[in-house]
């Protein structure tokens, strides 16, 4: 059962957190409006779309991004005030252990961790889809795929290749298609270009020839035009990498499995996004414990010193997270390990500070 002390700490924790977070998001929106006002006016973006399609969906994305920073700051801020007013000393003197004192903090952190997971897994993806459509229309403009030598695996035995893909016309140049049977090439198609026919919802292959490798020998068939159905769509080539943020957790898992089967080159980025949705909520507990242990002792410098240390640690956590996720995308570091390294490091710091905290 919740005691009066539990309710008091949870109320202080969540109240400080939501107040500071709303204040920050409001400031970010003001600066974002100032930065993008020229784009809105130049492209004549309707006011209702700016508010409903962009900023309403902008707020939860950045709220979740900065949640861990403000969990840390909120804990340090109000716990330092408790310590400064000698309330922590009174609580411990009343026979309540430091471990028991942590319980309401961790209960509040659990609420925020569940909120973070729910936002990142189910709320933010559809909101991000609407926001990205607005950005592509009024801010960033049309996406151009500048990838070269594009390879895709369609199924276990089928592979496709194209030299480059033009997103504005949905045309892939120097297209080839290979089918294998037990690692032996059975069929190979080569063409000048392949074009997506939106009316037929099929690919149109132009100026092609097909080589068949059979037991009776090789044979070649050529033609000017042929319609075919492939397990790839224009959306596989004409969307930015951050489009993966529009998929909820189940869709993202299925998408990763599909991209792995196709031999996608950017699969690490997809895996990082999936693992972050679990690792980030777990950080709520780690940063809460560090915040309590840092600020539960009354210090002569007051709240300022604790806030300074807290800001340094929270920003360093965000920095480590960004660095290691980039390592996962750009190097051989496994994505799961890269995402969890900051949590492991700060868990060690939290355990150390817990045993050093005043009991």
């Amino acid at each position: 059962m919740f005691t009066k002390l539990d309710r008091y700490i949870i109320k202080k924790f969540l109240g400080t957190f939501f107040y500071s977070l709303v204040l920050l998001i409001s400031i970010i929106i003001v600066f974002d409006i100032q930065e993008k006002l020229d784009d809105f006016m130049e492209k004549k973006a309707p006011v209702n779309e700016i508010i409903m399609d962009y900023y309403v969906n902008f707020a939860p994305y950045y709220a979740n991004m900065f949640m861990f920073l403000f969990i840390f700051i909120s804990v340090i801020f109000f716990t330092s005030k408790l310590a400064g007013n000698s309330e922590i000393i009174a609580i411990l003197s009343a026979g309540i252990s430091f471990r028991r004192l942590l319980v309401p903090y961790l209960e509040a952190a659990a609420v925020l961790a569940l909120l973070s997971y729910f936002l990142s897994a189910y709320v933010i993806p559809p909101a991000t889809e609407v926001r990205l459509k607005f950005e592509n229309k009024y801010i960033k403009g049309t996406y151009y795929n500048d990838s070269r030598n594009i390879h895709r695996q369609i199924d276990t035995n089928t592979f496709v290749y194209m030299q480059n893909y033009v997103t504005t016309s949905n045309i892939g140049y120097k297209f080839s298609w290979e089918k294998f049977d037990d690692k032996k090439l059975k069929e190979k198609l080569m063409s000048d270009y392949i074009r997506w026919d939106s009316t037929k919802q099929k690919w149109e292959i132009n100026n092609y020839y097909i080589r068949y490798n059979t037991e009776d020998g090789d044979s070649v068939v050529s033609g000017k035009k042929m319609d075919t159905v492939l397990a790839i769509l224009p959306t596989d080539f004409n969307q930015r990498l951050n489009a993966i943020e529009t998929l909820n957790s189940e869709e993202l898992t299925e998408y990763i499995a599909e991209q792995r089967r196709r031999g996608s080159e950017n699969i690490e980025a997809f895996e990082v996004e999936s693992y972050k949705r679990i690792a980030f909520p777990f950080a709520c507990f780690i940063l809460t414990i560090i915040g309590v242990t840092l600020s539960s002792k009354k210090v002569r410098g007051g709240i300022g010193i604790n806030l300074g240390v807290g800001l340094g640690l929270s920003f360093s956590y965000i920095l480590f997270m960004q660095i290691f996720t980039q390592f996962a995308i750009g190097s051989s570091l496994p994505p799961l390990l890269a995402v969890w390294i900051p949590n492991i490091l700060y868990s060690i710091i939290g355990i150390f500070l817990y045993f050093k905290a005043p009991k």
Side-chain angles (χ1 to χ4, degrees):
M1 294 179 63
F2 289 109
T3 65
K4 185 177 292 186
L5 177 62
D6 292 337
R7 291 193 293 270
Y8 176 71
I9 290 177
I10 291 172
K11 180 181 177 181
K12 287 286 187 180
F13 187 166
L14 297 180
T16 305
F17 169 78
F18 285 111
Y19 177 79
S20 57
L21 187 63
V22 169
L23 184 62
L24 173 73
I25 296 301
S26 301
I27 294 172
I28 290 176
I29 289 175
V30 170
F31 279 102
D32 192 75
I33 292 173
Q34 184 179 8
E35 180 184 350
K36 295 184 173 67
L37 186 59
D38 290 340
D39 292 323
F40 295 155
M41 295 179 65
E42 179 182 349
K43 297 186 178 179
K44 299 179 180 179
V47 175
N48 64 313
E49 290 187 27
I50 294 173
I51 297 172
M52 301 304 299
D53 292 352
Y54 187 63
Y55 284 110
V56 167
N57 297 305
F58 174 100
Y61 176 82
Y62 283 94
N64 192 54
M65 178 184 294
F66 291 105
M67 179 177 290
F68 321 104
L69 171 64
F70 278 87
I71 285 175
F72 211 18
I73 293 175
S74 300
V75 170
I76 288 178
F77 180 77
F78 85 84
T79 306
S80 295
K81 290 187 68 176
L82 294 179
N85 295 330
S86 300
E87 293 180 71
I88 298 291
I89 296 174
I91 292 170
L92 298 177
S93 299
I96 297 175
S97 67
F98 189 78
R99 180 183 298 179
R100 177 63 181 85
L101 178 64
L102 280 173
V103 171
Y105 284 94
L106 295 178
E107 289 171 342
V111 172
L112 296 178
L114 290 173
L115 176 62
S116 174
Y117 177 75
F118 183 73
L119 284 173
S120 60
Y122 300 106
V123 175
I124 293 177
T128 300
E129 183 175 7
V130 176
R131 179 174 61 84
L132 290 181
K133 286 181 179 179
F134 180 91
E135 288 181 352
N136 293 336
K137 184 177 181 180
Y138 296 110
I139 300 173
K140 294 181 179 179
T142 305
Y143 171 68
Y144 297 95
N145 189 331
D146 57 0
S147 300
R148 306 283 295 181
N149 300 320
I150 302 169
H151 296 264
R152 292 288 188 273
Q153 184 174 350
I154 303 302
D155 55 42
T156 306
N157 299 312
T158 307
F159 300 83
V160 297
Y161 163 85
M162 59 187 75
Q163 188 178 76
N164 64 297
Y165 187 85
V166 180
T167 55
T168 52
S169 55
N170 287 326
I171 295 177
Y173 292 94
K174 300 298 181 184
F175 175 80
S176 69
W177 167 19
E178 298 177 341
K179 283 189 175 181
F180 290 82
D181 183 10
D182 194 22
K183 298 183 179 180
K184 183 177 181 181
L185 182 63
K186 303 296 292 184
E187 179 181 334
K188 181 169 184 176
L189 177 148
M190 298 188 69
S191 72
D192 290 344
Y193 65 95
I194 183 172
R195 183 179 68 86
W196 174 253
D197 189 327
S198 58
T199 303
K200 299 178 181 179
Q201 294 292 297
K202 293 181 179 181
W203 291 100
E204 180 185 276
I205 301 175
N206 296 270
N207 300 329
Y208 67 91
Y209 71 88
I210 308 174
R211 177 188 171 191
Y212 296 96
N213 185 6
T214 65
E215 295 179 356
D216 299 328
D218 294 350
S219 61
V220 176
V221 176
S222 61
K224 291 290 185 182
K225 186 180 295 185
M226 176 178 67
D227 292 337
T228 187
V229 176
L230 298 175
I232 53 175
L233 296 171
T235 53
D236 294 325
F237 306 102
N238 61 12
Q239 59 184 1
R240 294 179 170 90
L241 185 60
N242 59 2
I244 61 174
E245 297 174 3
T246 65
L247 304 177
N248 64 39
S249 291
E250 289 77 12
E251 292 170 340
L252 183 57
T253 300
E254 294 174 2
Y255 186 77
I256 290 172
E258 178 68 16
Q259 293 301 312
R260 185 180 287 112
R261 186 176 65 82
R262 292 184 179 184
S264 172
E265 299 174 357
N266 296 318
I267 193 168
E268 292 84 4
F270 309 143
E271 291 176 327
V272 165
E273 175 64 24
S274 178
Y275 296 141
K276 280 166 61 177
R277 295 182 182 183
I278 301 296
F280 274 19
F282 188 80
C284 295
F285 298 100
I286 299 172
L287 298 179
T288 296
I289 293 173
I290 294 176
V292 177
T293 54
L294 276 176
S295 54
S296 58
K297 182 179 180 181
K298 187 174 183 179
V299 293
R300 183 171 297 179
I303 297 176
I305 294 177
N306 289 334
L307 281 177
V309 174
L311 283 171
L313 283 172
S314 55
F315 277 118
S316 65
Y317 175 84
I318 296 172
L319 178 63
F320 274 121
M321 180 63 75
Q322 294 299 321
I323 290 173
F324 282 107
T325 51
Q326 289 304 313
F327 276 153
I329 296 173
S331 68
S332 58
L333 187 64
L336 179 61
L337 178 61
V339 170
W340 278 91
I341 281 177
N343 282 349
I344 294 171
L345 291 176
Y346 280 77
S347 293
I348 295 171
I349 294 173
I351 293 170
F352 173 78
L353 291 175
Y354 171 77
F355 286 107
K356 296 288 288 184
K359 302 298 191 295

